[in-house]
């Protein structure tokens, strides 16, 4: 996810109401620093990673949310609009095994060991020993890589890394 795309999408759009789906997972992004961004897919099918919080919404791992939102206009030359959730229309817990993917840049060290498992910026990630080792090796190599993930259904370790590979 690029800083330019995120910034372009955050520019104010007035009081027009939009609909979207907030993903069950957060994705690594490095607009200013390494962090986890909320992912929302709008009514056109365009997915955006949000570096800044989305006003009126708190992310829960493993839960998708259908929302109605507006984009507040910003004022001033350097101002950026903010997404504001007007209504959470529905939420659903995704089933264990629901897939997604993380796309990781070489800019940061994303993962750390957590016993025989991993954490991604503090979020517990389950994985088989071979997958954990592969993720750590790719992270240490400093090259772009992807990690295929799935929901676990376990709030204490909500994500499982199932494979790591080149983009």
């Amino acid at each position: 996810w690029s800083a330019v795309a995120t910034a372009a999408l955050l520019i104010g759009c007035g009081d027009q109401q939009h609909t979207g789906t907030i993903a069950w997972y957060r994705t690594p992004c490095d607009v200013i620093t390494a962090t986890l961004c909320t992912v929302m897919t709008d009514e056109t099918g365009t997915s955006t990673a949000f570096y800044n919080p989305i006003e009126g919404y708190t992310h829960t791992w493993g839960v998708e949310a259908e929302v109605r939102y507006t984009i507040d206009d910003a004022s001033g030359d350097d101002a950026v609009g903010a997404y504001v959730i007007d209504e959470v229309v529905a939420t659903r817990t995704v089933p264990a095994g629901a897939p997604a993917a993380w796309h990781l840049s070489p800019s940061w060290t994303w993962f750390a060991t957590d016993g025989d498992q991993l954490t991604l910026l503090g979020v517990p990630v389950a994985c088989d020993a071979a997958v954990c080792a592969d993720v750590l090796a790719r992270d240490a190599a400093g090259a772009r890589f992807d990690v295929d993930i799935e929901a676990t259904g376990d709030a204490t370790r909500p994500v499982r890394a199932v494979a790591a590979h080149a983009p």
Side-chain angles (χ1 to χ4, degrees):
W1 304 95
S2 76
V4 174
T6 301
L9 289 168
L10 287 175
I11 295 172
C13 295
D15 293 327
Q16 183 178 359
Q17 192 165 73
H18 305 273
T19 59
T21 302
I22 297 177
W24 64 266
Y25 63 95
R26 294 176 69 202
T27 194
C29 58
D30 59 352
V31 177
I32 297 170
T33 187
T35 193
L36 294 173
C37 292
T38 300
V39 178
M40 183 165 53
T41 303
D42 67 19
E43 61 267 8
T44 69
T46 302
S47 292
T48 304
F50 292 89
Y51 180 81
N52 292 319
I54 299 174
E55 187 176 323
Y57 186 77
T58 301
H59 182 269
T60 302
W61 287 92
V63 176
E64 284 184 341
E66 300 294 325
V67 297
R68 288 193 182 102
Y69 64 96
T70 53
I71 305 170
D72 282 353
D73 284 333
S75 58
D77 293 338
D78 297 327
V80 174
Y83 278 63
V84 178
I85 300 300
D86 298 318
E87 178 184 7
V88 175
V89 178
T91 60
R92 77 174 185 95
T93 301
V94 298
W102 286 329
H103 310 287
L104 296 117
S105 75
S107 304
W108 310 96
T109 299
W110 297 97
F111 292 91
T113 57
D114 182 22
D116 61 350
Q117 302 293 293
L118 300 176
T119 60
L120 170 70
L121 300 177
V123 175
V125 177
C127 49
D128 294 333
V131 173
C132 284
D134 190 19
V135 167
L136 288 172
R138 289 175 187 274
D139 198 23
R144 187 171 302 279
F145 70 104
D146 293 348
V147 177
D148 297 330
I149 61 169
E150 64 184 20
T152 63
D154 178 356
T156 61
R157 197 166 291 272
V159 177
R160 177 182 334 285
V162 292
H165 51 87

